Amino acid sequence: MGLVVQKYGGSSVADAEGIKRVAKRIVETKKSGNQVVVVVSAMGDTTDELIDLAEQVSPIPAGRELDMLLTSGERISMALLAMAIKSLGQEAQSFTGSQAGVITDSVHNKARIIDVTPGRIQASVDEGNVAIVAGFQGVSLDTKDITTLGRGGSDTTAVALAAALNADVCEIYTDVDGVFTADPRVVKKARKIDWISFGDMLELASSGSKVLLHRCVEYARRYNIPIHVRSSFSGLPGTWVSNEPIEQGEQQVEQALISGVAHDTSEAKVTVVGVPDKPGEAAAIFRAISDAEINIDMIVQNVSAASTGLTDISFTLPKSDGPKAIEALEKARTAIAFDSLRYDDQIAKISLVGAGMKTNPGVTADFFDALSRAGVNIELISTSEIRISVVTRADVVAEAVRAVHSAFGLDSDSDEAVVYGGTGR
Ligand code: ADP
Ligand code: ASP
Ligand code: MG
């Protein structure tokens, strides 16, 4: 008998029908002789709706209270799922993140898991129950407060529980058939990937492929937990994310030269205009940002105009942190002598990811060529060993992704990418 951790995303449990469909699938897994631990997300777009509601009552909602609000979404789905499973004749119990032993640091809205003590979950499955755990939430031992792990955090809950319970597999069920070479909502000719390494998946995830959260992939790599990403709507095999290539028939799946194209429209750009070009200024700007617990992504400093001795510094950050960043910089204005701040939330980031980039020098030029043929203007550039990213205007993102996808020969011969549910929000 094995122990399986299954995570069902919001689109898989969007309504009562969805919950009943998922419950049937869970009971089948249990009946085939496995112990089953399920991690569930909030129904459909519940989390977005709760955030909208919070913003209607407060422009920058207090972090602790926002966590209290958002964790209610997963409490609804976990209880309903447990009821649906029980009505199929299978015992089930639901648990909050705190009850399941998900211990985090005390940073609200993007806490990190620091330990998982799954005693109650193990005891529950040992008694024959299916244990249902609310995703995306935990508790801080320091403050005793409830925390959330950041958007998409249920993926991380699933992998962390799989590691703590020594599970045989962690299955992430979603609304597409696996990880594709691009978002199937944007590229109909995207191809399903059978196997992808942790390294390439990490880059895709941190570049905006929200099919898996990057922290979840980080965690899986650290504890070497293979992940199987698949659809809860079809019975098809999905994508394996692991260290070692999987076998297919007699053959091993090869590492792809280029794994895929990711895009991200969740970031904004802040430009600090007129910064004195002298040591310590950049440090002061980014100290103010980091003290506000904001993670930044790309940074560009323009060459200073010799006559003024002033320069501009631009950086990208999650849109959700935009107001906080502007507030932090305005507060630091006496210490940092800049002229003004510009905030631009109409940007998109497009990234090409593949381990083959290391050994193929032409990839960068081909990427820029594809964008220029599509008439896409590049505003910022950043690279890693296996990724190139550019920032463009948000309104050209779909065209740009399709152009790059075609240029690197990633298009499939058929329109095989099916999106079964979800609103893509
Ligand atoms: P869930 O609610 O199951 O957590 P998400 O919406 O978080 O689902 O993630 C699934 C979505 O990720 C898909 O519907 C798809 O639009 C998007 N996506 C982005 N990039 C990719 C990719 N490379 N492969 C598959 N899906 C992707
Ligand atoms: N419900 C949370 C969100 O929408 C967590 C998750 O779905 O993983 O971000
Ligand atoms: Mg998700």
Side-chain angles (χ1 to χ4, degrees), residues 4 12 22 144 154 163 166 204 215 243-245 295 357 411:
V4 179
S12 297
V22 163
K144 309 275 185 295
S154 301
N166 208 2
L204 279 179
R215 274 198 187 162
N243 253 333
E244 296 295 328
N295 294 320
M357 260 177 222
D411 288 355

Side-chain angles (χ1 to χ4, degrees), residues 190-211:
R191 255 190 283 142
K192 193 186 84 190
I193 300 170
D194 294 323
W195 168 76
I196 183 168
S197 67
F198 283 132
D200 278 25
M201 190 64 232
L202 202 56
E203 291 283 0
L204 279 179
S206 43
S207 306
S209 299
K210 68 167 182 161
V211 63

Side-chain angles (χ1 to χ4, degrees), residues 7 9-10 41 151-155 172 174 210-213:
K7 177 255 170 177
S41 293
R151 299 308 307 273
S154 301
D155 294 347
I172 304 277
T174 183
K210 68 167 182 161
V211 63
L212 280 184
L213 189 73

Side-chain angles (χ1 to χ4, degrees), residues 182-194:
D183 185 342
R185 284 179 206 273
V186 174
V187 182
K188 283 284 151 250
K189 289 190 178 300
R191 255 190 283 142
K192 193 186 84 190
I193 300 170
D194 294 323

